Amino acid sequence: MPRKSRTPRANRVPRAGRTLTALVLLLITVLAAGCGKPGSPPVKGPRPDALPHYRVDHGFRLPDSPTWSKAKRRGYLVVGVKEDQPYMGEKDPATGVYSGFDIEIAKMMSASLGFDPKTIRFRTIASANRETALQNGQIDYYVGTYTINENRKKLVGFAGPYYMAGQSLLVRTDENDIHGPQDLDGKRVCSAAGSTPYQRIQHDYPRVQLVGYDTYSVCVDNLLTFQVDAVTTDDTILQGYAAKVPDELKVVGKPFSKEPYGIGVPRSDNALRIALDDALAVNEKNGNWQKAYDATLGLSGRPATPPPPIDRYPAS
Ligand code: GLU
């Protein structure tokens, strides 16, 4: 995967830029601590009482799944997630606690598989490393803004989809020239290496100066310090960053792709994939999905769109 601008930050950023970076990071930290202006959305995760309680199915058995059987012997699940995507998958640096819509999906799946969600060991895995993590057995499943597509299906399996996002653009509030991908020629645009939005810009908009990092939070830092002109990825993720610092950042234009989110599983573990499809269907029906959405992603101001139909594709 080609990546540009891999020079360490300290070597690239002039002194004034570093001071600004420090100020911006301080601002984000202050807002994250809940000291923002009145009415700011909570950024440390939802109030615990607003979250649904997922009933653990203690009698659940899935002996045909090697992943489930291994987890059963181990006594807990290891789930791959993101840690820097507000309202989706976010880790509180003080407590180490993960929260967000993807985290709730991971917990409801755990309960359905017979594991108490409190016992999950979350592992942060970047976009470019998801397939390898599943192939190596580093994680049992992955829930982190993970788009289902045919290329990835050659490497991993997907339960779901459980949500539909779309690629969009995040810019500074003082930016008036960027309204969609057609305005990006010659602009510096940042995205995560290995992501579908990165690949789409690379293939469809070759005149863009594309910059790749491991995570979107580094891209946002670069945007706030004037090193790039825009950040591109799913609207879900970008709206989360914009909601944190609405005076500094805005999402512009209409989504220009479809990004159906799936739960990544090891490719050959069809039993696990089907069990997760069943668990999603149950939780969509019993209201847990909606409650989880309202207590997480809904707080970013994004209205709930019903989950797309589950795609129970045949094993190959
Ligand atoms: N949904 C896109 C993807 O799976 C972008 C978000 C991400 O990198 O997680 O590549």
Side-chain angles (χ1 to χ4, degrees):
M1 182 58 54
R3 298 182 195 188
K4 297 177 189 168
S5 295
R6 303 292 298 171
T7 328
R9 289 190 52 78
N11 297 343
R12 279 187 292 110
V13 187
R15 184 177 293 278
R18 284 209 294 277
T19 311
L20 184 60
T21 309
L23 285 173
V24 165
L25 289 176
L26 183 68
L27 173 70
I28 290 178
T29 313
V30 167
L31 288 173
C35 305
K37 62 184 180 193
S40 315
V43 291
K44 278 200 165 185
R47 283 177 302 127
D49 60 339
L51 289 169
H53 174 75
Y54 310 115
R55 205 181 52 77
V56 182
D57 186 351
H58 288 289
F60 185 86
R61 294 284 174 271
L62 198 61
D64 290 348
S65 160
T67 313
W68 184 90
S69 305
K70 197 170 100 198
K72 201 72 198 164
R73 286 195 296 276
R74 192 199 293 135
Y76 57 88
L77 286 162
V78 183
V79 181
V81 292
K82 295 289 183 70
E83 69 171 34
D84 64 340
Q85 299 183 172
Y87 307 100
M88 292 299 295
E90 194 172 25
K91 186 176 172 182
D92 182 331
T95 62
V97 172
Y98 286 82
S99 64
F101 185 54
D102 281 332
I103 304 301
E104 290 307 307
I105 297 286
K107 287 180 179 171
M108 64 178 84
M109 295 302 100
S110 167
S112 295
L113 294 176
F115 295 89
D116 188 331
K118 286 200 222 54
T119 65
I120 296 177
R121 306 247 174 126
F122 288 110
R123 255 207 204 162
T124 302
I125 309 272
S127 296
N129 303 331
R130 295 181 281 211
E131 291 80 27
T132 326
L134 285 166
Q135 287 169 330
N136 293 349
Q138 262 172 279
I139 52 174
D140 297 322
Y141 56 87
Y142 187 94
V143 196
T145 58
Y146 197 9
T147 295
I148 304 172
N149 66 29
E150 291 310 312
N151 275 339
R152 288 176 177 168
K153 270 171 148 180
K154 290 178 193 146
L155 304 170
V156 299
F158 285 105
Y162 62 88
Y163 197 73
M164 183 65 84
Q167 184 169 353
S168 206
L169 296 170
L170 183 74
V171 296
R172 292 180 299 271
T173 40
D174 60 4
E175 170 66 63
N176 294 316
D177 298 337
I178 299 175
H179 306 286
Q182 71 283 352
D183 303 322
L184 296 177
D185 281 8
K187 302 274 189 204
R188 292 161 302 169
V189 178
C190 192
S191 194
S195 70
T196 47
Y198 182 100
Q199 288 159 1
R200 188 165 295 104
I201 296 292
Q202 199 173 35
H203 295 134
D204 299 354
Y205 302 93
R207 286 201 286 273
V208 172
Q209 288 184 47
L210 186 58
V211 179
Y213 284 104
D214 287 345
T215 62
Y216 299 109
S217 52
V218 175
C219 284
V220 171
D221 186 19
N222 275 257
L223 179 63
L224 288 165
T225 51
F226 294 81
Q227 294 168 76
V228 299
D229 304 302
V231 176
T232 188
T233 185
D234 303 340
D235 46 5
T236 42
I237 302 171
L238 298 180
Q239 280 166 4
Y241 291 122
K244 270 197 174 185
V245 280
D247 295 341
E248 311 284 330
L249 299 173
K250 62 181 178 186
V251 178
V252 288
K254 290 199 181 73
F256 51 98
S257 75
K258 281 202 172 2
E259 309 289 334
Y261 288 167
I263 303 171
V265 296
R267 189 175 187 276
S268 56
D269 201 335
N270 291 301
L272 179 63
R273 174 167 62 87
I274 291 159
L276 292 175
D277 279 339
D278 292 344
L280 279 173
V282 167
N283 281 280
E284 284 169 14
K285 214 165 164 206
N286 69 13
N288 279 344
W289 184 98
Q290 186 66 49
K291 267 193 227 157
Y293 183 95
D294 292 344
T296 56
L297 194 51
L299 298 177
S300 75
R302 187 183 167 87
T305 43
I310 291 168
D311 177 19
R312 295 169 184 274
Y313 60 89
S316 64

